[in-house]
Amino acid sequence: MVIQIYEFEKIHNKLPNSISDFKVDTEMGEGPYYEKLNDSTFIVFFNKGFDDKIIFNSNKKKWE
């Protein structure tokens, strides 16, 4: 999904507003989920258990 977001941004010169703006090739359930934080930053995350998440932050360009 992260690659799809970067490809969308390259083609449209902006981040998608929501997951419905681009084709997702993964099944939803525990994730991944997309959230646009501002015009240049987004996160993709998976729920891991009840209170834990694995998050990709586009500012840091890494998973945490």
Side-chain angles (χ1 to χ4, degrees):
M1 179 184 288
V2 172
I3 292 168
Q4 291 172 309
I5 295 166
Y6 282 124
E7 287 174 356
F8 181 97
E9 182 180 32
K10 185 177 178 181
I11 293 168
H12 301 283
N13 294 318
K14 65 178 185 174
L15 289 174
N17 289 318
S18 70
I19 198 167
S20 63
D21 289 342
F22 60 96
K23 183 182 179 219
V24 179
D25 61 1
T26 58
E27 290 185 29
M28 300 302 277
E30 296 297 315
Y33 298 101
Y34 167 75
E35 185 176 334
K36 179 180 173 181
L37 302 178
N38 58 45
D39 288 340
S40 62
T41 307
F42 69 90
I43 60 172
V44 171
F45 62 94
F46 291 87
N47 291 325
K48 182 180 172 187
F50 184 69
D51 287 336
D52 201 13
K53 293 180 182 175
I54 300 172
I55 301 171
F56 177 87
N57 185 310
S58 65
N59 277 342
K60 298 177 183 178
K61 296 194 183 339
K62 67 177 187 175
W63 290 94
E64 300 179 314

